[in-house]
Amino acid sequence: MTEYRRSAHCVYDIKYHMVWITKYRKAVLTGQIARRAREVIRGVCEANDVEILAGHVSKDHVHLLVSVPPHLSASKLARYVKGATSRKLLMEHKELNQQFWGRHLWARGYFVASSGNVTDEVIAEHIRNQDMEAAKEDNFEISKH
């Protein structure tokens, strides 16, 4: 059974698979730099109530599977994590400044996919079957299918 997370006024299970790469796919995320990147990512996630379910820092990219509160969008999380890691890594490891000019460690974009334990079809069927008797009486149906 899925473990739902709770906040003051909602219960949720929102998961994102996120991937982003270093600029020019340069393989610089090794050793101390990779360890520091992990620390910064953990700190940003903790500060934003994001639970890291799985993660991996490769030489030229980062993978994360995270559980996110409903008020935090995927784009905002990507901005927070990429911004903090770039700023701190470039400040603390001056050797990176020779390879990444203009204070840009990461490439501009990122990949994100929502993740869940049921398919869209299961959700649609569940919605269609909700309180069938009341739906028949009220003739309330949002979709035209």
Side-chain angles (χ1 to χ4, degrees), residues 114-133:
S114 58
S115 170
N117 58 357
V118 295
T119 64
D120 294 342
E121 292 80 21
V122 171
I123 294 171
E125 186 64 26
H126 177 69
I127 291 170
R128 281 193 288 273
N129 292 331
Q130 283 295 300
D131 206 1
M132 291 292 271
E133 297 306 314

Side-chain angles (χ1 to χ4, degrees), residues 18-140:
M18 303 180 81
V19 182
W20 63 93
I21 63 172
T22 58
K23 197 162 189 175
Y24 314 114
R25 291 289 298 228
K26 291 196 178 200
V28 296
L29 301 175
T30 59
Q32 185 60 32
I33 295 172
R35 282 189 287 281
R36 183 64 176 137
R38 280 188 211 95
E39 290 172 8
V40 174
I41 292 167
R42 286 183 188 127
V44 170
C45 288
E46 186 177 313
N48 289 285
D49 194 28
V50 173
E51 182 182 342
I52 300 174
L53 305 174
H56 182 71
V57 176
S58 294
K59 291 180 181 182
D60 64 352
H61 66 281
V62 176
H63 276 273
L64 281 182
L65 176 61
V66 290
S67 175
V68 184
H71 62 82
L72 184 62
S73 67
S75 63
K76 194 175 283 190
L77 178 61
R79 188 170 66 233
Y80 291 166
V81 173
K82 288 174 68 177
T85 53
S86 180
R87 187 177 60 253
K88 290 187 179 189
L89 291 175
L90 290 171
M91 278 186 351
E92 296 170 5
H93 298 276
K94 297 298 182 189
E95 66 272 18
L96 292 175
N97 289 324
Q98 297 167 355
Q99 297 181 56
F100 300 100
W101 54 93
R103 299 183 320 213
H104 298 288
L105 174 65
W106 305 111
R108 285 181 79 183
Y110 60 93
F111 166 83
V112 64
S114 58
S115 170
N117 58 357
V118 295
T119 64
D120 294 342
E121 292 80 21
V122 171
I123 294 171
E125 186 64 26
H126 177 69
I127 291 170
R128 281 193 288 273
N129 292 331
Q130 283 295 300
D131 206 1
M132 291 292 271
E133 297 306 314
K136 288 178 185 174
E137 290 173 14
D138 296 338
N139 195 22
F140 176 76

Side-chain angles (χ1 to χ4, degrees), residues 6-17:
R6 298 174 185 275
S7 65
H9 300 286
C10 73
V11 178
Y12 59 93
D13 182 30
I14 302 170
K15 294 180 185 131
Y16 296 136
H17 173 211

